[in-house]
Amino acid sequence: MATYPNGAHWPALHALVDRVAERQRADFGQIASTVKPDGSLVTDCDRWSDATIAAGLAEILPGDGLLSEEGCTDAPTQRHGWIVDPLDGTTNFSVGLPIWAISMARLQDGQPLEAIIDVPPLRERYVAVRGQGVWRNGEPLQPPGGPRHRCNCASICTRSLPVLQKVPGRFPAKTLMLGVASLNLLGVGLGTMLAALEATPKIWDLAAVWLILEELGCVIRPLADHPFPMTPGAPLGEASYPLMAACDEEHYQRFLPWGQALVS
């Protein structure tokens, strides 16, 4: 039987994410996108998901603040606040590629405390609570303990591609790009990626998966500014946090030259 962390708000949170995931599956392949001023894509489903999550969180935990990709992008000023990407992977979603996620993190004093990453097309949900571990569809998820499944892959974002030619020697893994920052990084925690490089992730891309990887004993570190603890009220809509993650310290050091090239 599926189990999840204790806490009166969790059943309502799951019901809220269920509702949003179901709508996204229904809209997938049926909805057009438009271009935002920063050049990224957005759909009506992104906006509906953002508004629905915001309204739901306000009802479930009315004292919490909220930062979301499609809403207010200032860091919450309350002790507890949410960081939400209502649809991470809009390009995939809008062109009919079934790889996207809902990413939500609850912060306490500017640090991730609880996290949810839901993958609607796979009907998989990852939940983490600081100090308590990680669950996948209600079952405890074990740390990867290094590479698994004969893994020899690393995930990178498109903006990381130039570093493959900047460092002498051969990049030590096959490269994969999912087009979804949270899932690129999550692969490290699942043991399907040795490492992950992200050149320009926003706070809503990384907040939830940061906690998940920490709870799984993986290494995740900034390559420039540290995203946590967040400064209350800070404008974060344009802030990027280059980072690298790896399944263990040995592999982190192995890939670090390419990570350093991201910010050199």
Short mmCIF file of all heavy atoms in Angstrom, two decimals, residues 108-137:
data_model
loop_
_atom_site.label_atom_id
_atom_site.label_comp_id
_atom_site.label_asym_id
_atom_site.label_seq_id
_atom_site.Cartn_x
_atom_site.Cartn_y
_atom_site.Cartn_z
N GLN A 108 11.21 26.47 3.92
CA GLN A 108 11.15 26.99 5.29
C GLN A 108 12.42 27.79 5.54
O GLN A 108 13.52 27.27 5.37
CB GLN A 108 11.04 25.85 6.31
CG GLN A 108 11.03 26.33 7.76
CD GLN A 108 10.81 25.19 8.74
OE1 GLN A 108 9.68 24.72 8.89
NE2 GLN A 108 11.87 24.74 9.38
N ASP A 109 12.24 29.06 5.88
CA ASP A 109 13.38 29.95 6.09
C ASP A 109 14.32 29.94 4.89
O ASP A 109 15.54 29.96 5.02
CB ASP A 109 14.14 29.56 7.36
CG ASP A 109 13.28 29.67 8.62
OD1 ASP A 109 12.41 30.58 8.67
OD2 ASP A 109 13.44 28.84 9.53
N GLY A 110 13.75 29.88 3.69
CA GLY A 110 14.52 29.98 2.47
C GLY A 110 15.18 28.70 2.00
O GLY A 110 15.89 28.71 0.99
N GLN A 111 14.94 27.58 2.70
CA GLN A 111 15.55 26.30 2.34
C GLN A 111 14.45 25.30 2.00
O GLN A 111 13.40 25.26 2.65
CB GLN A 111 16.37 25.75 3.52
CG GLN A 111 17.50 26.64 3.98
CD GLN A 111 18.76 26.42 3.18
OE1 GLN A 111 18.77 25.71 2.19
NE2 GLN A 111 19.86 27.03 3.62
N PRO A 112 14.67 24.44 0.98
CA PRO A 112 13.67 23.43 0.63
C PRO A 112 13.37 22.49 1.80
O PRO A 112 14.28 21.93 2.41
CB PRO A 112 14.31 22.67 -0.53
CG PRO A 112 15.29 23.63 -1.11
CD PRO A 112 15.82 24.41 0.06
N LEU A 113 12.10 22.35 2.10
CA LEU A 113 11.64 21.50 3.20
C LEU A 113 10.87 20.29 2.69
O LEU A 113 11.03 19.17 3.21
CB LEU A 113 10.74 22.32 4.14
CG LEU A 113 10.06 21.57 5.28
CD1 LEU A 113 11.08 21.10 6.31
CD2 LEU A 113 9.00 22.46 5.94
N GLU A 114 10.02 20.49 1.68
CA GLU A 114 9.22 19.43 1.09
C GLU A 114 9.21 19.62 -0.42
O GLU A 114 9.34 20.75 -0.90
CB GLU A 114 7.78 19.47 1.62
CG GLU A 114 7.69 19.32 3.13
CD GLU A 114 6.29 19.59 3.67
OE1 GLU A 114 5.54 20.37 3.04
OE2 GLU A 114 5.96 19.05 4.73
N ALA A 115 9.06 18.54 -1.16
CA ALA A 115 9.11 18.65 -2.62
C ALA A 115 8.18 17.63 -3.26
O ALA A 115 8.00 16.52 -2.73
CB ALA A 115 10.53 18.44 -3.12
N ILE A 116 7.63 18.02 -4.40
CA ILE A 116 6.84 17.12 -5.24
C ILE A 116 7.28 17.33 -6.68
O ILE A 116 7.33 18.47 -7.16
CB ILE A 116 5.33 17.41 -5.15
CG1 ILE A 116 4.82 17.27 -3.72
CG2 ILE A 116 4.55 16.49 -6.10
CD1 ILE A 116 3.37 17.71 -3.56
N ILE A 117 7.63 16.26 -7.36
CA ILE A 117 7.79 16.28 -8.80
C ILE A 117 6.85 15.22 -9.35
O ILE A 117 7.01 14.03 -9.05
CB ILE A 117 9.23 16.01 -9.25
CG1 ILE A 117 10.14 17.17 -8.84
CG2 ILE A 117 9.29 15.82 -10.77
CD1 ILE A 117 11.59 17.00 -9.26
N ASP A 118 5.89 15.65 -10.13
CA ASP A 118 4.94 14.74 -10.75
C ASP A 118 5.22 14.69 -12.26
O ASP A 118 5.44 15.73 -12.88
CB ASP A 118 3.50 15.20 -10.50
CG ASP A 118 2.49 14.15 -10.93
OD1 ASP A 118 2.13 13.30 -10.10
OD2 ASP A 118 2.06 14.19 -12.11
N VAL A 119 5.22 13.49 -12.81
CA VAL A 119 5.47 13.30 -14.24
C VAL A 119 4.17 12.76 -14.85
O VAL A 119 3.96 11.55 -14.92
CB VAL A 119 6.64 12.33 -14.49
CG1 VAL A 119 7.05 12.36 -15.96
CG2 VAL A 119 7.83 12.66 -13.60
N PRO A 120 3.27 13.66 -15.29
CA PRO A 120 1.94 13.22 -15.72
C PRO A 120 1.92 12.15 -16.80
O PRO A 120 1.13 11.19 -16.70
CB PRO A 120 1.28 14.52 -16.19
CG PRO A 120 1.94 15.58 -15.36
CD PRO A 120 3.36 15.13 -15.25
N PRO A 121 2.76 12.23 -17.85
CA PRO A 121 2.65 11.19 -18.89
C PRO A 121 3.06 9.80 -18.40
O PRO A 121 2.61 8.79 -18.97
CB PRO A 121 3.60 11.68 -20.00
CG PRO A 121 4.52 12.64 -19.33
CD PRO A 121 3.73 13.27 -18.23
N LEU A 122 3.87 9.73 -17.35
CA LEU A 122 4.27 8.44 -16.79
C LEU A 122 3.46 8.05 -15.56
O LEU A 122 3.62 6.93 -15.06
CB LEU A 122 5.76 8.47 -16.41
CG LEU A 122 6.76 8.70 -17.54
CD1 LEU A 122 8.18 8.69 -16.99
CD2 LEU A 122 6.60 7.63 -18.63
N ARG A 123 2.65 8.98 -15.07
CA ARG A 123 1.89 8.77 -13.82
C ARG A 123 2.83 8.38 -12.68
O ARG A 123 2.55 7.48 -11.89
CB ARG A 123 0.78 7.72 -14.02
CG ARG A 123 -0.24 8.15 -15.07
CD ARG A 123 -1.34 7.12 -15.26
NE ARG A 123 -2.23 7.50 -16.35
CZ ARG A 123 -3.33 8.23 -16.23
NH1 ARG A 123 -3.70 8.66 -15.02
NH2 ARG A 123 -4.08 8.53 -17.28
N GLU A 124 3.94 9.10 -12.60
CA GLU A 124 4.90 8.90 -11.52
C GLU A 124 4.99 10.17 -10.68
O GLU A 124 5.03 11.28 -11.23
CB GLU A 124 6.29 8.54 -12.06
CG GLU A 124 6.37 7.14 -12.63
CD GLU A 124 7.80 6.72 -12.92
OE1 GLU A 124 8.70 7.59 -12.91
OE2 GLU A 124 8.00 5.53 -13.18
N ARG A 125 5.04 9.97 -9.37
CA ARG A 125 5.13 11.11 -8.47
C ARG A 125 6.24 10.87 -7.45
O ARG A 125 6.30 9.83 -6.80
CB ARG A 125 3.82 11.34 -7.74
CG ARG A 125 3.82 12.58 -6.82
CD ARG A 125 2.42 12.93 -6.37
NE ARG A 125 1.57 13.14 -7.54
CZ ARG A 125 0.23 13.17 -7.49
NH1 ARG A 125 -0.39 13.00 -6.34
NH2 ARG A 125 -0.46 13.36 -8.58
N TYR A 126 7.11 11.86 -7.33
CA TYR A 126 8.23 11.80 -6.40
C TYR A 126 7.98 12.83 -5.31
O TYR A 126 7.68 14.00 -5.60
CB TYR A 126 9.54 12.09 -7.12
CG TYR A 126 9.85 11.09 -8.20
CD1 TYR A 126 9.33 11.23 -9.49
CD2 TYR A 126 10.64 9.97 -7.93
CE1 TYR A 126 9.58 10.30 -10.48
CE2 TYR A 126 10.90 9.03 -8.92
CZ TYR A 126 10.37 9.20 -10.19
OH TYR A 126 10.62 8.26 -11.16
N VAL A 127 8.11 12.39 -4.08
CA VAL A 127 7.87 13.24 -2.92
C VAL A 127 9.08 13.15 -2.00
O VAL A 127 9.62 12.06 -1.78
CB VAL A 127 6.60 12.80 -2.17
CG1 VAL A 127 6.49 13.50 -0.82
CG2 VAL A 127 5.36 13.06 -3.01
N ALA A 128 9.51 14.29 -1.48
CA ALA A 128 10.63 14.30 -0.54
C ALA A 128 10.30 15.21 0.63
O ALA A 128 9.62 16.24 0.47
CB ALA A 128 11.92 14.78 -1.23
N VAL A 129 10.79 14.84 1.80
CA VAL A 129 10.70 15.67 3.00
C VAL A 129 12.08 15.68 3.64
O VAL A 129 12.69 14.61 3.80
CB VAL A 129 9.65 15.14 3.99
CG1 VAL A 129 9.63 15.99 5.25
CG2 VAL A 129 8.27 15.10 3.36
N ARG A 130 12.56 16.86 3.97
CA ARG A 130 13.91 16.95 4.53
C ARG A 130 14.04 16.07 5.78
O ARG A 130 13.23 16.14 6.69
CB ARG A 130 14.26 18.40 4.88
CG ARG A 130 15.67 18.56 5.43
CD ARG A 130 16.13 20.01 5.42
NE ARG A 130 16.21 20.56 4.07
CZ ARG A 130 17.21 20.32 3.24
NH1 ARG A 130 18.20 19.51 3.58
NH2 ARG A 130 17.22 20.87 2.03
N GLY A 131 15.06 15.24 5.75
CA GLY A 131 15.33 14.35 6.88
C GLY A 131 14.51 13.09 6.90
O GLY A 131 14.74 12.22 7.76
N GLN A 132 13.57 12.93 5.95
CA GLN A 132 12.71 11.74 5.96
C GLN A 132 12.87 10.87 4.71
O GLN A 132 12.40 9.74 4.69
CB GLN A 132 11.24 12.15 6.10
CG GLN A 132 10.92 12.84 7.41
CD GLN A 132 9.44 13.12 7.57
OE1 GLN A 132 8.59 12.34 7.14
NE2 GLN A 132 9.12 14.26 8.17
N GLY A 133 13.50 11.39 3.66
CA GLY A 133 13.72 10.58 2.48
C GLY A 133 12.82 10.95 1.32
O GLY A 133 12.20 12.02 1.28
N VAL A 134 12.74 10.01 0.36
CA VAL A 134 12.04 10.23 -0.91
C VAL A 134 11.13 9.04 -1.18
O VAL A 134 11.48 7.89 -0.88
CB VAL A 134 13.05 10.38 -2.08
CG1 VAL A 134 12.33 10.63 -3.40
CG2 VAL A 134 14.03 11.52 -1.79
N TRP A 135 9.97 9.33 -1.74
CA TRP A 135 9.01 8.30 -2.14
C TRP A 135 8.73 8.42 -3.63
O TRP A 135 8.68 9.52 -4.18
CB TRP A 135 7.69 8.46 -1.39
CG TRP A 135 7.74 8.20 0.07
CD1 TRP A 135 7.33 7.08 0.74
CD2 TRP A 135 8.19 9.11 1.09
NE1 TRP A 135 7.51 7.23 2.10
CE2 TRP A 135 8.04 8.47 2.35
CE3 TRP A 135 8.72 10.40 1.07
CZ2 TRP A 135 8.38 9.06 3.55
CZ3 TRP A 135 9.08 11.01 2.28
CH2 TRP A 135 8.90 10.34 3.49
N ARG A 136 8.53 7.29 -4.29
CA ARG A 136 8.06 7.26 -5.67
C ARG A 136 6.75 6.49 -5.68
O ARG A 136 6.70 5.31 -5.35
CB ARG A 136 9.06 6.59 -6.61
CG ARG A 136 8.54 6.46 -8.05
CD ARG A 136 9.62 6.06 -9.03
NE ARG A 136 10.31 4.84 -8.65
CZ ARG A 136 11.42 4.40 -9.22
NH1 ARG A 136 11.98 5.10 -10.20
NH2 ARG A 136 11.99 3.29 -8.82
N ASN A 137 5.68 7.18 -6.05
CA ASN A 137 4.33 6.58 -6.03
C ASN A 137 4.04 5.88 -4.71
O ASN A 137 3.48 4.80 -4.64
CB ASN A 137 4.16 5.60 -7.20
CG ASN A 137 4.07 6.31 -8.54
OD1 ASN A 137 3.96 7.54 -8.60
ND2 ASN A 137 4.12 5.57 -9.61
#
